[in-house]
Amino acid sequence: MTAPVIGVLALQGDVREHVGALAGAGADARPIRRPGELDAVDGLVIPGGESTTISKLVDIFEMREPIDKRIAAGMPVYGSCAGMIMLATEVLDGRPDQRGFAGIEMTVRRNAFGRQVDSFEASVEIAGVQGAAFHAVFIRAPWVERVGPGVEVLGRVTDRPVGDRIVAVRQGNLLATSFHPELTGDLRLHRYFVDLVRAA
Ligand code: GLN
C-alpha cells in the first residue's frame, strides 16, 4: 500500500515534531504552506503553537479559502492544541480577530487550565486507541467546554483540580486533541490519523 501524503501546516508551531511522528506512523509527511502544496496532500495536521498567530498567517499565506474548501470536501485534518482551537466553531478567551476553520462543532476555551497549571502532564485514555492510557503533555492547552451532537468525545482529563474536561474529540474526518502526542514518541494517535486518511 502506498503511503498517504499528509501535510503539516508549516506557518508556526511544532511542525517538525509532527512531520517526524507522521513519518514514523507510515505517512509520506511534509511541511506545507502554499495552496499548491495543499493540493498534493490527502490529509493535514495543524500543529500546536499559537492560534492567534496561525490565524493571521493563514490569511497572509492565502491558505484560508483552500483549507476551508478541502475540509468541506472531506479532507481529514488533525489539530493538536492550537490546531484544536483552529478547528473549533467557537473559541472562548480568544482574540476577537482570530478565526479558525470552524470544522468541529464545539466550544473550546483557550489557555483554559489556568496560570498555575499552564503546563502539565496527565494520563488520558483515547477511545479507539488500544493499549495503555496516553501520557499526555499539555502546554497552555485549551479544553472543550461544549460539543455538538455530531461530535464524538474520545478522551477526558479526570485527575485535575479543574474537574472532568474533554481533551480529545472527533467529528467525521476531523480529529482534535488539547495535548501534544508529537512530543512523547507515542505514535498511536498519529497512526490513528494515518488510518483515517487511508480510509477517507
Ligand atoms: N495557547 C495556545 C493558543 O491559544 C495553544 C498552545 C499550544 O498549542 N501549545 O493557541
Side-chain angles (χ1 to χ4, degrees), residues 47-52 80-83 85 110-111 139-142 180:
E50 182 47 61
S51 56
T52 54
S80 81
C81 204
I85 297 168
R110 273 181 78 217
N111 303 329
I139 305 167
R140 295 182 59 75
H180 292 271

